[in-house]
Amino acid sequence: MSSLLLLFIFVPVLTGILLALNLLLAVHRPDSEKVQAYECGFSPIYGQTRSPFHVQFYLVGILFLIFDLEILLIYPLAVTLHQVSAYGFWIFIVFLVILTVGFVLEIGSGALYFTEQKTTVSTLRPDLNN
């Protein structure tokens, strides 16, 4: 039996066993706080299923995923750098440059700001206006 087939059999069986043990052996004491809906730190509004939510939160989440995946792609390159030679290295450098340019454009367009009012150093420190 190959190790991949063993993995596809062993992991689901182990997961099922652990979930069944949790259901059988865990203490269940539901109270009003545990069964109440909770989303992202906001208190639920009774009678309303959805509340207004700013798009900037989603944007920051998506940007985090993009740049987090960029870091994830650096690890295989670091491990196989001796095999991909200079060509693979320069392809990855081009990839990083494109992502860096995109990040600079996002900062320049103000996509990461959560407020409408942009503060500057002169408004934070009035003594610099002299």
Side-chain angles (χ1 to χ4, degrees):
M1 184 183 317
S2 72
S3 60
L4 192 59
L5 182 62
L6 179 68
L7 180 72
F8 282 122
I9 292 173
F10 179 71
V11 170
V13 169
L14 180 65
T15 303
I17 291 171
L18 291 176
L19 284 173
L21 284 174
N22 182 33
L23 287 174
L24 293 173
L25 301 176
V27 178
H28 298 286
R29 294 188 191 121
D31 59 4
S32 64
E33 293 296 323
K34 287 183 181 179
V35 296
Q36 183 180 8
Y38 178 79
E39 287 191 30
C40 301
F42 294 108
S43 298
I45 301 171
Y46 296 105
Q48 182 181 359
T49 57
R50 297 186 184 266
S51 61
F53 202 76
H54 296 288
V55 176
Q56 285 88 358
F57 291 111
Y58 294 113
L59 182 63
V60 168
I62 289 171
L63 293 175
F64 172 76
L65 286 176
I66 290 171
F67 290 104
D68 193 39
L69 289 177
E70 169 197 355
I71 298 301
L72 183 69
L73 291 174
I74 290 176
Y75 290 125
L77 177 77
V79 171
T80 62
L81 192 57
H82 63 280
Q83 295 173 350
V84 296
S85 71
Y87 177 74
F89 174 75
W90 287 110
I91 292 296
F92 194 76
I93 292 298
V94 169
F95 172 72
L96 288 178
V97 166
I98 290 171
L99 280 175
T100 304
V101 167
F103 186 65
V104 168
L105 288 174
E106 289 165 2
I107 290 175
S109 69
L112 299 177
Y113 294 112
F114 283 93
T115 60
E116 295 297 324
Q117 179 184 6
K118 309 290 190 280
T119 59
T120 60
V121 174
S122 62
T123 59
L124 294 174
R125 294 195 49 199
D127 58 328
L128 294 178
N129 291 333
N130 298 337

